[in-house]
């Protein structure tokens, strides 16, 4: 079976490593993922912080909002202990540290950066991220995504050539509007939503999340979607290989 679907690691190999950490991203790449998905916030001192939530409570041994903490304070937190004792002492990475890691290994896959502006706007984040990447020569394909359509519109005005995708659970109407306006290229819908709306968009424009079960992976591979975003990239790589070889 021909399957061109790429595998994007959701916050790295989130199912097997502490999410959004360097060890999680490196594990995913070692497992064969062709893409990395992660999230960026602003700290109190306007540093790029890689974390999913707006607070540090769930994934570290600290408490409070990222926007209320300096980079130095965030670096003192343990981002591995809540996942497992094995990863005790793992630090919260900055965007620069993640990019440096990818450049060091000459990663040529997808780097999907989600701007976490849907709950806290972080004024100036869009331009700051753009200017950071504008000053680099990086080997990977950079894709911006966000649940906040305004952030994508701001990025599009700054750089009309920026490759952007709209994340959504149910805001499909807004996503379509952004597509028609040429603000976004592709859609990153919830896999549950896309299975309920199978004719929403051509498979080549879909990268559903979070595709973790064997059933959902097969569903996406059979339809040759652009990519799947998964917590278990190693498992997805293995299943895709078996399907390509006609073993399933």
């Amino acid at each position: 079976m021909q399957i061109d679907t790429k595998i994007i690691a959701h916050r790295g190999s989130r199912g097997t490593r502490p999410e959004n950490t360097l060890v999680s991203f490196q594990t995913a790449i070692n497992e064969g993922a062709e893409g990395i998905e992660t999230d960026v916030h602003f700290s109190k001192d306007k540093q790029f912080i890689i974390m999913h939530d707006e607070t540090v409570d769930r994934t570290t041994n600290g408490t409070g909002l990222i926007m209320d903490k300096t980079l130095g304070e965030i670096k003192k937190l343990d981002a591995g202990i809540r996942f497992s004792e094995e990863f005790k002492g793992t630090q919260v990475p900055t965007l620069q540290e993640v990019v440096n890691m990818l450049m060091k290994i000459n990663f040529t896959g997808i780097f999907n950066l989600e701007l976490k502006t849907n709950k806290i706007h972080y004024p100036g984040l869009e331009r700051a991220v753009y200017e950071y990447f504008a000053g680099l020569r990086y080997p990977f394909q950079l894709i911006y995504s966000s649940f906040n359509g305004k952030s994508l519109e701001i990025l599009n005005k700054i750089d009309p050539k920026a490759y952007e995708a709209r994340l959504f659970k149910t805001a499909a109407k807004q996503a379509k509007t952004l597509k028609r306006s040429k603000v976004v290229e592709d859609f990153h819908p919830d896999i549950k939503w896309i299975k309920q709306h199978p004719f929403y968009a051509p498979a080549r424009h879909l990268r559903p999340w979070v595709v973790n079960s064997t059933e959902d992976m097969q569903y996406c591979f059979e339809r040759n979607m652009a990519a799947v975003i998964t917590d278990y990239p190693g498992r997805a790589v293995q299943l895709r290989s078996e399907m390509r070889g006609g073993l399933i």
Side-chain angles (χ1 to χ4, degrees):
M1 179 184 295
Q2 180 175 344
I3 303 173
D4 301 317
T5 305
K6 289 182 168 53
I7 293 162
I8 300 176
H10 184 233
R11 310 179 207 169
S13 185
R14 185 192 177 211
T16 65
R17 299 291 187 273
E19 66 178 64
N20 277 335
T21 61
L22 295 181
V23 67
S24 187
F25 300 133
Q26 186 64 66
T27 297
I29 293 169
N30 292 346
E31 292 175 339
E34 291 106 349
I36 296 295
E37 184 274 346
T38 191
D39 316 272
V40 65
H41 302 257
F42 255 161
S43 63
K44 185 177 182 179
D45 48 351
K46 297 294 188 291
Q47 300 299 306
F48 298 125
I49 304 300
I50 296 298
M51 191 175 291
H52 179 268
D53 300 358
E54 287 73 20
T55 71
V56 302
D57 300 51
R58 181 177 60 85
T59 56
T60 79
N61 60 341
T63 59
L65 290 165
I66 293 172
M67 67 180 294
D68 291 338
K69 298 183 182 298
T70 65
L71 174 60
E73 290 170 330
I74 291 170
K75 278 296 185 181
K76 292 177 182 177
L77 301 177
D78 191 321
I81 189 66
R82 287 192 180 275
F83 185 86
S84 167
E85 278 284 340
E86 178 186 354
F87 299 102
K88 182 179 180 180
T90 302
Q91 287 189 326
V92 176
T94 62
L95 174 62
Q96 293 91 331
E97 288 171 330
V98 176
V99 170
N100 287 344
M101 184 198 79
L102 297 178
M103 292 176 67
K104 186 176 181 180
I105 62 175
N106 195 36
F107 180 68
T108 58
I110 294 169
F111 183 50
N112 182 174
L113 184 64
E114 180 182 344
L115 305 184
K116 296 295 290 188
T117 55
N118 53 311
K119 294 182 179 178
I120 297 174
H121 180 235
Y122 299 119
L125 179 65
E126 297 89 355
R127 178 165 289 279
V129 168
Y130 165 75
E131 290 179 350
Y132 168 69
F133 281 107
L136 295 178
R137 293 182 64 183
Y138 47 87
F140 47 80
Q141 179 190 359
L142 177 62
I143 296 176
Y144 296 112
S145 63
S146 182
F147 281 104
N148 184 353
K150 291 292 184 182
S151 280
L152 297 180
E153 290 174 0
I154 290 170
L155 271 172
N156 187 254
K157 288 178 181 177
I158 294 171
D159 181 11
K161 295 181 180 179
Y163 197 97
E164 298 159 352
R166 174 74 162 110
L167 285 159
F168 69 91
K169 285 187 178 180
T170 57
K173 185 175 181 180
Q174 184 188 16
K176 283 186 175 181
T177 299
L178 291 172
K179 176 71 174 177
R180 285 196 298 270
S181 303
K182 301 187 185 304
V183 171
V184 301
E185 297 289 338
D186 296 315
F187 305 116
H188 293 185
D190 186 329
I191 182 60
K192 296 175 184 176
W193 192 94
I194 204 61
K195 289 177 78 173
Q196 294 169 356
H197 305 80
F199 304 110
Y200 171 75
R204 68 180 182 277
H205 290 297
L206 295 175
R207 298 188 187 95
W209 57 274
V210 176
V211 183
N212 285 344
S213 71
T214 298
E215 177 189 347
D216 286 347
M217 290 178 186
Q218 287 180 324
Y219 179 91
C220 297
F221 292 151
E222 288 169 353
R223 287 156 181 78
N224 212 13
M225 293 183 180
V228 295
I229 302 174
T230 178
D231 292 338
Y232 297 94
R235 186 188 302 171
V237 168
Q238 179 63 32
L239 179 63
R240 184 183 60 182
S241 177
E242 292 173 355
M243 292 179 68
R244 280 173 170 172
L247 302 177
I248 294 178

